[in-house]
Amino acid sequence: MNEILKAIKESSIKISELLKDADFGYTSHTNHTGDTQLKLDVRSDELITEIFSGVKSVKALISEEKDEALSLNEDADFIVAYDPLDGSSLVDVNFAVGSIFGIYKNKVSAKNLVASAYAVYGPRLELVICGDKPILYRYKNGEFVAVKELKLNEKGKLNATGASQWGWSKEHRKFIKSLFDEKYRLRYSGAMVADLHQILLKGGGLFSYPATTDAPNGKLRVTFEVLPFAYIYEKAGGATTDGKNSSLLELEVKQIHATTPCYFGSKYEISKLLGEKCE
Ligand code: AFP
């Protein structure tokens, strides 16, 4: 595991350097989910692939930017699933973006997720690594320094919700309004790493990306976005759901690029959501 964490640290340092001299152009390709790939998405994916190709304990890599899993060492135990550059469409406006990593043992399933991590490329480079508990690291003078353990309060104050309101269900609309009626503040940048990081560091709230009329399975990807963050939020004392199950970690992985509606929050917001559904 240590060599995997070392590779994640190295990857995030390299990507943060790449972003300083960014080429914002698009490639002529689309990825599996139909997004046109930015040169930066592709270069970040290549950097991570290069770094991990020397890591003996990794069996395979699964990337948002690759159609298929990439086999590395057949007899190794771990599969690393990652989104190399989440929020890349915001690099041109200089917003914070990130990379997300899920580390699975033997098989890609929620039960086999043994650690996750994400990097935030903002005014500073920060990394959250979560085995048993989420620890925040800051990059300073050439190394990552542990800052603190991250814990969510029982109830938060922030409300971040994605997709076009045009496609929201009546239920989702009502729930989001009910939080604003409780004086929650709107926060949504369009990069899930930055938005989830803000809620985690400010102690709580809700991040949601719901099912919509045009995307009944939502937008965010199970393997390399949703499960890694669900793991971190639950280890931080929060809760998650797809709107039906009592945890996102109950989801079955049907295919590596599958998407799901998702809600991440403090315990209060998630139990309010699930409670309202039962009424
Ligand atoms: P990009 O990586 O294409 O910028 O997409 C970011 C993202 O996957 C996730 O980080 C955001 O939460 C979500 O999409 C934003 O989507 P909406 O604009 O539909 O809310």
Side-chain angles (χ1 to χ4, degrees), residues 85-89 162-163 188 190-192 207 209 219-221 225:
L85 196 59
D86 175 73
S88 54
S89 62
Y188 191 77
M192 75 179 295
F207 175 93
Y209 201 106
K219 173 182 181 189
L220 302 182
R221 296 81 169 175
E225 294 179 323

Side-chain angles (χ1 to χ4, degrees), residues 1 5 103 113-117 128-135 137 231-232 234-236:
M1 182 60 76
L5 298 181
I103 302 156
L113 188 56
V114 290
S116 10
V128 172
I129 299 178
C130 182
D132 288 337
K133 48 192 178 180
I135 307 288
Y137 294 84
Y231 186 86
I232 292 171
E234 295 197 13
K235 294 280 186 192

